[in-house]
């Protein structure tokens, strides 16, 4: 790729241009609408998935083809130009036409068709094939949304195949077009700008996840019963985040290892190292988040167990007290039942009851009731029922 790049006259202009290109402008201007042409009857799907295609010469856009066929034709007519084609969920026919035009390796095309690939960097001759996992934080559901981006980088072309909403490559294209001295460095500069955009997109995600973890810690010690599910869901997102960032560290180091072999511009080398540092920092933060979530889950399980034990102990104590009350009630019921039984027997008013006409019948009945009650009281008292 290096033999087709134009080098700037001095380093300082390139350095400032690179900084301007990689610094998002606030608020961003809406992307300029690409010229549209009515689709041909044989190419309806192409217009739907080609987000934007443009040809550049010396860092300046010279054409904005509406279809892939027009892009191929104009690139052949301008051999010194560079094509930057952006696709979103392209069809198989579109990818096959790109493969035939730019001599893309079948394995890389197959990966771009199937998606759901892990981040990786592969070189097929003069073409680099890069798979990136972009991420964005959704405030409303408080979750992380992941997208997949495939990038083909050749001597005179850059093809991006996007699966998902992230990243916003239109902003990358707009910033690069505003710095033609950087864009004229060729496809390699575009690749590094895309890498930087993907890595910069991780920062809001890290900030959002940090806030979520802080909220989860508060909910754990507050005893929120739904916090376990939230911890589990966020842990799964962190696993996906690790899969997006960890391979990227090795990929960037692989690119840096080929600096001298492929003659990478010195300023691009510096900024790629800066991107690698950001990726390493993000990967370490993600590892820390996952470890923190594991510890929080352990603490939450301990607190839930303690709460359950306390509830079981309270239930046991309540049951014990209830049993003691039942014993007291049963004891007094038995004691009061004895005089009631004697009184009921002698209150039946039968004529043939010898005790009814006995002079000591009443004292005897009273003493009998007192004796029975006293005996029952002593028995229950010894058993600690009273």
């Amino acid at each position: 790729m290096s033999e087709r790049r134009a080098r700037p006259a001095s380093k300082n202009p390139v350095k400032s241009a690179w900084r301007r290109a990689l610094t998002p402008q606030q608020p961003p201007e809406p992307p300029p609408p690409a010229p549209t042409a009515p689709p041909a009857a044989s190419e309806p799907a192409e217009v739907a998935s080609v987000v934007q295609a443009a040809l550049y010469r010396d860092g300046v856009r010279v054409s904005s083809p509406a279809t892939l066929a027009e892009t191929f034709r104009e690139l052949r007519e301008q051999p010194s130009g560079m094509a930057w084609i952006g696709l979103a969920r392209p069809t198989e026919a579109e990818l096959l036409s790109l493969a035939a035009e730019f001599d893309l390796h079948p394995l890389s095309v197959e990966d771009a068709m199937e998606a759901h690939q892990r981040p990786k960097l592969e070189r097929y001759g003069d073409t680099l094939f890069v798979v990136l996992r972009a991420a964005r934080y959704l405030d409303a559901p408080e979750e992380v949304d992941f997208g997949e981006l495939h990038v083909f980088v050749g001597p005179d072309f850059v093809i991006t195949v996007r699966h998902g909403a992230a990243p916003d490559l239109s902003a990358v294209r707009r910033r690069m077009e505003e710095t033609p001295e950087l864009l004229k460095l060729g496809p390699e500069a575009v690749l590094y700008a895309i890498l930087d955009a993907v890595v910069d997109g991780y920062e809001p995600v890290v900030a959002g996840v940090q806030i979520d973890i802080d909220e989860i810690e508060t909910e754990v010690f507050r005893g929120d019963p739904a916090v376990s599910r939230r911890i589990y869901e966020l842990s799964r997102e962190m696993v996906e985040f690790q899969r997006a960032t960890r391979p990227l560290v090795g990929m960037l180091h692989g690119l840096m290892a080929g600096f001298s072999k492929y003659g990478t511009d010195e300023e691009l080398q510096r900024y790629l190292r800066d991107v690698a540092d950001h990726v390493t920092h993000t990967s370490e933060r993600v590892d820390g988040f996952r470890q923190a979530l594991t510890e929080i889950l352990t603490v939450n399980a301990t607190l839930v167990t303690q709460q359950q034990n306390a509830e079981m102990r309270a239930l046991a104590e309540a049951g014990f007290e209830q049993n003691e009350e039942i014993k007291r009630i049963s004891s007094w019921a038995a004691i009061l039942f004895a005089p009631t039984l004697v009184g009921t027997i002698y209150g039946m008013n039968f004529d043939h009851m010898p005790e009814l006409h006995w002079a000591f019948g009443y004292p005897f009945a009273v003493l009998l009731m007192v004796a029975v009650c006293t005996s029952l009281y002593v028995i229950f008292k010894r058993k600690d029922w009273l």
Side-chain angles (χ1 to χ4, degrees):
M1 290 183 288
S2 59
E3 64 275 6
R4 300 186 66 106
R5 286 199 309 270
R7 295 183 179 272
S10 63
K11 297 180 181 178
N12 290 335
V14 177
K15 184 174 182 180
S16 60
W18 183 263
R19 286 177 176 171
R20 291 198 303 271
L22 298 185
T23 302
Q25 301 177 359
Q26 298 295 335
E29 295 292 334
T36 57
S42 60
E43 297 175 337
E46 188 176 45
V47 177
S49 59
V50 177
V51 177
Q52 199 172 38
L55 265 68
Y56 301 89
R57 179 185 295 167
D58 295 329
V60 179
R61 181 188 291 214
V62 295
S63 176
S64 300
T67 64
L68 291 179
E70 294 180 11
T71 305
F72 301 157
R73 177 178 54 79
E74 295 185 13
L75 184 60
R76 297 190 197 103
E77 295 173 354
Q78 302 180 22
S80 61
M82 179 190 73
W84 185 352
I85 304 172
L87 304 174
R89 299 183 180 90
T91 63
E92 181 177 351
E94 290 170 339
L95 287 176
L96 291 178
S97 66
L98 288 169
E101 179 67 23
F102 297 110
D103 193 23
L104 304 180
H105 196 278
L107 292 178
S108 62
V109 175
E110 182 181 357
D111 289 342
M113 288 180 183
E114 296 179 355
H116 303 292
Q117 303 293 323
R118 299 194 65 178
K120 62 181 179 179
L121 170 67
E122 296 177 346
R123 183 178 292 275
Y124 300 98
D126 293 334
T127 303
L128 278 177
F129 176 61
V130 181
V131 179
L132 303 173
R133 293 294 303 278
R136 59 174 183 163
Y137 186 81
L138 304 179
D139 292 324
E142 294 184 338
E143 62 183 23
V144 182
D145 177 54
F146 294 94
E148 189 168 332
L149 178 64
H150 299 234
V151 186
F152 297 88
V153 182
D156 58 352
F157 65 88
V158 176
I159 303 171
T160 59
V161 180
R162 183 160 51 89
H163 298 273
D168 183 11
L169 295 182
S170 61
V172 178
R173 184 189 294 265
R174 183 170 61 253
R175 293 196 297 269
M176 291 290 287
E177 290 179 350
E178 291 173 354
T179 53
E181 61 271 28
L182 174 62
L183 188 56
K184 69 191 298 184
L185 293 178
E188 197 170 22
V190 175
L191 172 62
Y192 293 168
I194 293 174
L195 288 169
D196 184 78
V198 171
V199 174
D200 285 347
Y202 292 154
E203 294 182 4
V205 178
V206 170
V209 172
Q210 182 63 67
I211 295 175
D212 286 346
I213 291 178
D214 294 340
E215 293 177 351
I216 286 175
E217 289 178 343
T218 303
E219 293 173 359
V220 165
F221 290 101
R222 189 186 300 164
D224 190 340
V227 70
S228 297
R229 180 180 181 87
R230 189 178 181 187
I231 295 173
Y232 174 73
E233 292 175 350
L234 189 57
S235 298
R236 291 185 59 185
E237 292 176 354
M238 290 304 97
V239 171
E240 290 296 321
F241 209 176
Q242 281 183 325
R243 293 174 180 172
T245 56
R246 277 186 177 178
L248 194 53
V249 176
M251 290 168 50
L252 293 175
H253 285 287
L255 282 176
M256 290 188 292
F259 282 162
S260 58
K261 180 178 180 181
Y262 297 100
T264 304
D265 184 83
E266 292 183 3
E267 291 301 322
L268 295 184
Q269 295 182 25
R270 294 189 181 98
Y271 287 105
L272 184 63
R273 293 190 185 97
D274 182 67
V275 173
D277 290 340
H278 290 171
V279 172
T280 302
H281 177 70
T282 301
S283 180
E284 292 174 352
R285 291 289 303 277
V286 175
D287 292 342
F289 287 158
R290 190 176 181 187
Q291 181 65 29
L293 288 171
T294 302
E295 295 174 355
I296 292 173
L297 188 61
T298 303
V299 172
N300 181 66
T302 302
L303 293 176
V304 170
T305 302
Q306 291 178 351
Q307 182 179 1
Q308 291 177 345
N309 292 339
E311 292 175 354
M312 293 294 294
R313 185 164 51 252
L315 289 175
E317 292 175 355
F320 177 77
E321 293 178 358
Q322 185 177 7
N323 290 336
E324 293 298 317
E325 292 295 331
I326 292 175
K327 290 179 180 180
R328 295 188 186 96
I329 294 173
S330 300
S331 300
W332 286 112
I335 292 172
L336 295 177
F337 176 73
T340 303
L341 177 62
V342 175
T344 302
I345 292 175
Y346 286 101
M348 290 187 293
N349 298 324
F350 288 110
D351 291 336
H352 302 287
M353 292 184 68
E355 292 85 359
L356 293 179
H357 303 287
W358 184 30
F360 299 100
Y362 174 74
F364 175 77
V366 172
L367 289 174
L368 179 60
M369 288 186 287
V370 171
V372 173
C373 292
T374 303
S375 301
L376 291 175
Y377 179 82
V378 172
I379 293 172
F380 291 138
K381 193 67 175 179
R382 289 180 176 178
K383 292 185 175 181
D384 292 330
W385 283 31
L386 293 175

